[in-house]
Amino acid sequence: MIRVEHLSKEYKIARRKPGLRGAAQNLFHRTYDTKAAVSDVSFSIDQGEMVGYIGANGAGKSTTIKMLCGILTPTAGEVKVAGIVPYKQRQRNARNIGAVFGQRTQLFWDIPARESFNLLKHIYQIPQHRFAENLRTFSDVLELEPLFGRPVRQMSLGEKMRCELAAAFLQDPLVVYLDEPTIGLDVSVKARIRQFIREMNRNRKTTVILTTHDMQDIEEICSRLIMIDAGRLLYDGDLRSVRQRFGNRRTIHFDLATPATDTGMPAQLAPWVFAEWEGRERVHIQFDARQTSASDVIAAMLQSYAVRDLTITDPSIESIVKDIYERGLS
């Protein structure tokens, strides 16, 4: 469905000289710096895949999505979406895609939501029976009925985002790009939006690319993760592989029956663990599962302390991604 080969995008940024003399010189002779937003990125996505495309601010996520949408022309490389080169065949590409770009609305600000959907129906030339069926389905899942008669400017952020999602899927797109679709939303609205995205993918095989800083969105929606850093591809693989390869750091939380007189670690654990005490009755021990096992940590603690309770937690995908950015792939 999507094929990206050695994709790059560079911007020329004018170097401005200060002062009145500098302003005069800039009029006649300008020098430029080159900023590489995306550098030699390659990946392919099959129909029906749901992929998380993540990176820090300024990593090149939005630039990549804009090239896939046909908004930007690449400096180098090739990109095809459903067999179409987006920036060369913008109208054909626009019929195949839907998009939600954060806080940028595609609905019309001053008219009721239903009228916005009717306008989109004519723009995308959606058959009446299909339009009515989609609107009915979206209304049931996203609870849109109370919003149809309300102008977008009178909606809350969560209400507007539900309408934006309906608009993005209205013309049965082959690919949908979602840029921070749950930002600023409460828990119940996030859950409804995630359920809607999963249903559209399951029932219609819609390919979804999700960019977000909410790693719970990635865990609940996506099966594959593409990470980009400073414009370059850092990692491309399924979530399970990420956990297996980078999720070796585990934590055991011990609640002690009596306050500890000594907050040092047992000698056999000291080289392999990091301990964080919470008072003298609770300690969090972090360890690398490749160096020592949970059973060894528990056995050593039981010999040294009176343990009342313990829990073991695996690292979240958010902490794994943070470690990858800070420590690299080694």
Side-chain angles (χ1 to χ4, degrees), residues 205-224:
K205 302 299 180 186
T206 307
T207 304
V208 176
I209 296 183
L210 171 66
T211 67
T212 181
H213 288 94
D214 188 336
M215 296 310 298
Q216 192 171 354
D217 285 347
I218 300 290
E219 290 196 86
E220 294 194 17
I221 294 173
C222 302
S223 59
R224 178 178 166 194

Side-chain angles (χ1 to χ4, degrees), residues 123-134:
I123 290 172
Y124 288 103
Q125 300 177 357
I126 306 170
Q128 175 59 36
H129 72 280
R130 190 59 185 163
F131 172 76
E133 182 181 341
N134 281 348

Side-chain angles (χ1 to χ4, degrees), residues 102-121:
Q103 308 303 312
R104 300 178 185 177
T105 183
Q106 60 183 314
L107 302 173
F108 299 87
W109 194 246
D110 291 313
I111 63 176
R114 184 183 292 276
E115 298 303 320
S116 286
F117 294 139
N118 282 326
L119 282 172
L120 291 172
K121 169 198 165 188

Side-chain angles (χ1 to χ4, degrees), residues 152-213:
V152 174
R153 59 182 169 80
Q154 295 179 359
M155 294 182 186
S156 68
L157 178 59
E159 291 170 341
K160 183 167 73 70
M161 192 57 67
R162 280 148 54 195
C163 290
E164 292 283 354
L165 277 169
F169 284 89
L170 193 61
Q171 81 274 18
D172 295 321
L174 298 174
V175 182
V176 173
Y177 306 105
L178 302 175
D179 185 7
E180 301 284 2
T182 64
I183 187 171
L185 305 183
D186 61 44
V187 174
S188 61
V189 177
K190 284 185 178 184
R192 190 176 297 123
I193 286 175
R194 290 165 184 157
Q195 176 191 357
F196 174 75
I197 296 169
R198 289 193 298 265
E199 285 194 19
M200 291 300 102
N201 173 260
R202 180 173 61 252
N203 297 332
R204 307 186 182 193
K205 302 299 180 186
T206 307
T207 304
V208 176
I209 296 183
L210 171 66
T211 67
T212 181
H213 288 94

